[in-house]
Amino acid sequence: AGPRRSVVHNVLLTGWFRYRLSSHQAIPNFAVFAVQDRFGRCVRLQVVDYYDDEGESGFVKLYWQDLVD
């Protein structure tokens, strides 16, 4: 076996939800993240839902707010 590859962990991809194994659902944990875009602007971001009204997955609902100096 050789050296293990390093893995970059992106908390925004995994830190916004917990996984409910019994129903195979992503349940938002309402964590709030500060995100900076490539232009240096910052926003506060929160994932509040991942399902539409019929329960179909992949319909991400976000709350966001500009962070200004």
Side-chain angles (χ1 to χ4, degrees), residues 14-31 47-51:
T14 60
W16 64 268
F17 73 99
R18 64 183 173 78
Y19 186 72
R20 183 177 290 156
L21 190 58
S22 62
S23 60
H24 301 288
Q25 290 181 305
I27 309 299
N29 62 16
F30 301 102
V47 178
V48 294
D49 206 350
Y50 183 70
Y51 300 92

Side-chain angles (χ1 to χ4, degrees), residues 4 8 13 15-16 25 30 45 49 52 58 61 63-64:
R4 295 180 66 168
V8 176
L13 298 178
W16 64 268
Q25 290 181 305
F30 301 102
L45 181 70
D49 206 350
D52 67 6
K61 181 178 181 180
Y63 288 159
W64 65 274

Side-chain angles (χ1 to χ4, degrees), residues 5-18:
R5 284 195 231 165
S6 66
V7 175
V8 176
H9 178 77
N10 185 334
V11 70
L12 282 178
L13 298 178
T14 60
W16 64 268
F17 73 99
R18 64 183 173 78

